[in-house]
Amino acid sequence: MIRDTLLANLTLALNGSGIGISSELPWSAGGEALYSKNMKKVYLDADQEAQTELFNCLNPADDVIQREISVTGYLAVDAKNPNQTQIETALSKLSLARSAVANCYIKEYTVTNSTDDDRLIYEFTYRFLTI
Amino acid sequence: MAYINVNSTGKFVKLDLVATGADFSSNISAAFAANANVSTVPALQDVTLNATPGLFRWQQLDSASEYVLTTPSTNSVAVTLVLDDTTFFTGTGSTPGIFALVNAKTLTYFRLYWSGTATGSKYVQGKGYLSALAPTVNPGSPVWTSPITIEVVGDYEQGTV
């Protein structure tokens, strides 16, 4: 699974950065997500996959099928006192982690952020296309 | 009346090629009798069969419309396909791969099945030269695809499996 590749890469890349990474999925307890409770720790969700036809052939057995795999991750930090240098370094490493995934011809990364009470939550999504 | 449907199993369009160097001009069906040398072109995306009689037109002062006579036809089969490495580079038996057939300008016998190969299925066959090979690939579509045209020598032959 691509999540495992990203997890292995980020475990090494974030080591010593002050931002951790969990092997757990971002589950919720009592309505509160784990990544919200445990700040400065990256949580990666399970792979989401869609298969579409890249090339449609007269014999469907010859169709070229494209797999789109996306992995969403979360990182929450203290919105009152964010360590901007630390966060930017971590986001840079999160962005570079997409290169660790082999055999994909599209490797994209997007990140958005939102505030939830006193937490700044980064939600990032990796998107990969392969045949 | 029934449409020529190609979207169900056993009804798919099929294009076979044979180019062993032997002369099958007098009996093209014999080329396709031995399966060992028949190269089936996989991953066809579209097929166009062109049959265009030449026309000679003239006008006469005693007629309000043109007269027409036919002259020799121009026939061709144009396909687009996703390239398969075996069919493209190696071929089957004594029939070379598609690239070699184009590069060497080899006379090639072809048989196009309209809708499957079950008994009673129709086909058209003939001989010609492969041309218009233009493989292309790009980062957003990372498999090679190409058009190919078979410039047909002489007439088509119709047949039934």
Side-chain angles (χ1 to χ4, degrees):
Chain A
M1 289 179 66
I2 286 183
R3 178 182 185 271
D4 295 337
T5 304
L6 291 170
L7 197 59
N9 178 272
L10 288 170
T11 300
L12 286 173
L14 293 173
N15 186 26
S17 69
I19 302 289
I21 181 160
S22 173
S23 59
E24 292 185 78
L25 292 169
W27 50 273
S28 300
E32 189 178 14
L34 202 59
Y35 57 82
S36 194
K37 279 174 58 176
N38 302 324
M39 289 194 284
K40 297 177 76 171
K41 188 169 260 192
V42 171
Y43 287 84
L44 293 176
D45 208 342
D47 291 8
Q48 307 275 335
E49 181 167 332
Q51 295 189 8
T52 53
E53 285 188 348
L54 182 61
F55 291 107
N56 181 237
C57 296
L58 288 165
N59 184 341
D62 296 330
D63 286 350
V64 180
I65 303 297
Q66 172 178 269
R67 294 171 61 214
E68 178 176 348
I69 302 155
S70 59
V71 177
T72 302
Y74 304 90
L75 169 64
V77 298
D78 184 356
K80 297 193 295 292
N81 297 296
N83 184 332
Q84 209 54 45
T85 305
Q86 190 182 64
I87 292 167
E88 285 176 13
T89 302
L91 291 177
S92 173
K93 292 183 190 297
L94 288 169
S95 166
L96 290 171
R98 71 186 192 284
S99 303
V101 178
N103 302 322
C104 294
Y105 57 92
I106 297 284
K107 302 177 187 182
E108 293 177 342
Y109 166 86
T110 55
V111 60
T112 58
N113 59 69
S114 59
T115 50
D116 179 20
D117 291 336
D118 60 348
R119 294 175 183 80
L120 179 61
I121 297 172
Y122 291 92
E123 181 174 330
F124 47 95
T125 303
Y126 297 96
R127 176 175 172 263
F128 302 95
L129 288 175
T130 183
I131 291 179
Chain B
M1 185 203 78
Y3 298 114
I4 308 174
N5 192 329
V6 299
N7 74 346
S8 54
T9 303
K11 295 282 189 182
F12 303 136
V13 174
K14 188 174 180 225
L15 176 64
D16 286 344
L17 303 175
V18 172
T20 63
D23 182 4
F24 295 103
S25 298
S26 59
N27 183 5
I28 294 178
S29 292
F32 298 94
N35 290 332
N37 297 318
V38 175
S39 181
T40 297
V41 181
L44 293 171
Q45 294 182 274
D46 62 70
V47 178
T48 303
L49 186 143
N50 298 294
T52 311
L55 298 173
F56 174 74
R57 295 176 176 273
W58 76 95
Q59 300 164 355
Q60 295 176 188
L61 290 169
D62 61 356
S63 172
S65 303
E66 285 186 336
Y67 290 82
V68 178
L69 279 176
T70 58
T71 59
S73 296
T74 302
N75 299 325
S76 64
V77 178
V79 303
T80 306
L81 65 152
V82 182
L83 296 182
D84 160 77
D85 59 353
T86 301
T87 316
F88 191 66
F89 295 118
T90 309
T92 305
S94 302
T95 296
I98 287 174
F99 183 79
L101 291 175
V102 176
N103 204 35
K105 308 179 190 57
T106 305
L107 184 65
T108 304
Y109 297 89
F110 68 91
R111 177 178 282 184
L112 177 67
Y113 295 89
W114 296 98
S115 179
T117 58
T119 303
S121 299
K122 304 289 187 187
Y123 61 79
V124 63
Q125 64 186 19
K127 62 183 180 185
Y129 295 95
L130 273 60
S131 73
L133 184 71
T136 183
V137 72
N138 63 72
S141 298
V143 289
W144 285 93
T145 62
S146 179
I148 298 173
T149 299
I150 305 173
E151 305 289 355
V152 180
V153 175
D155 295 332
Y156 292 112
E157 292 180 5
Q158 282 195 88
T160 305
V161 178

